[in-house]
């Protein structure tokens, strides 16, 4: 995933925390945040590879803005940070006294991990395709395949042509599992559904995404998964139905966007801030906090489609959602690159 513009702007301990608190004890003095003074604001920063309007990074940004208001942190961020600048920006925040730094490190895995080791008193928490690294490099990702599955069920029911599509960033695990879950949901309700898939080779290229979507629509797709920004615009122009991604994007096409998986980063952000303040932040995978059961993901509101979707479709989705939340249904994590039928 890309320079940097510093801007000052506003964004319960779980069972895991309790275990950590009990196990770490006096060792907390050596961990990030151990010297945090309660009468001072926790300084939190974020480093984003893409422009802030890109949905993936924007969801992190929105969660941090919320934390600024509700948890009293001091928040700054840098956007459009290219790989060559990543380490420099990390060092500037660490040397500037920021106790917790978040962001996306997918394109700068080596640089970010190497730099984090140089600042063991800073807590680092990055979107990453790899695991955590001791002592202070935590990771997360957008595990929103569950609401993507529910969205697919809706797409499978609402398609009249029998062909649905998805335009996505690239064939990497983080993207593949969402697209595959979407198609799996559609297959559950319509085993005969056909799929078309296109990858634009970028995390943020709206014109290219729109072009790929138009090609799919011209080929018969009548419900499309806008995994990337730009697809909804094509759906609006061509007057077909769309499923959004990451955030509630109904405003981009009120007559087009039915719903879509929403990633709420606040549970992850809240957990990390609590651990840093308690002086017990450790390298761990925070991915579970993006699951539906943790409140980290959900299906966007139907808005005007609440009255347009058939009752049986909504009932079907609600039943499946309950099964997921109760642990009675597991959406498979399929990270293989999907192909068109």
């Amino acid at each position: 995933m890309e320079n940097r513009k510093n801007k000052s702007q506003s964004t319960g301990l779980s069972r895991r925390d309790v275990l950590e608190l009990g196990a770490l004890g006096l060792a907390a003095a050596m961990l990030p945040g151990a010297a945090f003074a309660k009468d001072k604001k926790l300084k939190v920063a974020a480093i984003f590879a893409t422009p802030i309007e890109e949905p993936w990074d924007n969801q992190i940004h929105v969660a941090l803005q919320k934390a600024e208001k509700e948890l009293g942190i001091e928040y700054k961020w840098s956007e459009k940070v290219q790989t060559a600048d990543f380490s420099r920006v990390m060092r500037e925040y660490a040397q500037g006294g920021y106790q917790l730094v978040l962001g996306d490190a997918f394109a700068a895995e080596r640089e970010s991990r190497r730099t984090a080791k140089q600042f063991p008193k800073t807590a680092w928490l990055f979107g990453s395709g790899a695991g955590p690294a001791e002592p202070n490099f935590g990771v997360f990702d957008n595990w929103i395949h569950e609401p993507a599955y529910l969205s697919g069920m809706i797409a499978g029911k609402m398609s009249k042509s029998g062909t649905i599509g998805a335009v996505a960033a690239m064939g990497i695990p983080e993207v593949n599992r969402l697209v595959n879950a979407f198609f799996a949901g559609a297959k559950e309700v319509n085993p005969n559904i056909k799929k078309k898939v296109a990858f634009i080779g970028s995390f943020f290229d709206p014109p290219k995404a729109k072009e790929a979507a138009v090609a799919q629509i011209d080929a018969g797709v009548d419900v499309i998964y806008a995994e990337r920004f730009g697809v909804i615009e094509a759906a609006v122009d061509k007057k077909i139905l769309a499923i959004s991604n990451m955030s509630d994007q109904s405003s981009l096409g009120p007559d087009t966007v039915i719903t879509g998986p929403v990633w709420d980063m606040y549970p992850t952000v809240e957990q990390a801030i609590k651990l840093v303040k308690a002086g017990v932040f450790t390298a761990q995978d925070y991915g579970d906090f993006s699951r539906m059961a943790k409140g980290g993901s959900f299906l966007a509101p139907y808005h005007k489609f609440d009255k347009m979707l058939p009752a049986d479709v909504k009932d079907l989705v609600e039943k499946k959602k309950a099964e997921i939340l109760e642990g009675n249904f597991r959406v498979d994590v399929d990270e293989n690159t999907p192909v068109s039928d």
Side-chain angles (χ1 to χ4, degrees), residues 10-11 48 52 55-69 75 247 263-266 269:
S10 307
T11 96
F48 300 121
I52 200 65
W56 199 94
D57 280 340
N58 187 254
Q59 291 306 99
I60 304 171
H61 177 62
V62 168
L64 287 166
Q65 287 181 312
K66 181 178 179 181
E68 186 168 44
K69 293 178 180 178
Y75 171 49
S247 59
W263 184 29
D264 187 349
M265 261 291 288
Y266 190 71
V269 166

Side-chain angles (χ1 to χ4, degrees), residues 320-338:
K320 185 62 64 177
K321 180 168 68 173
E323 292 178 4
I324 292 172
L325 293 174
E326 293 166 2
N328 296 321
F329 180 80
R330 181 186 177 91
V331 177
D332 289 336
V333 176
D334 181 356
E335 296 184 338
N336 295 303
T337 302

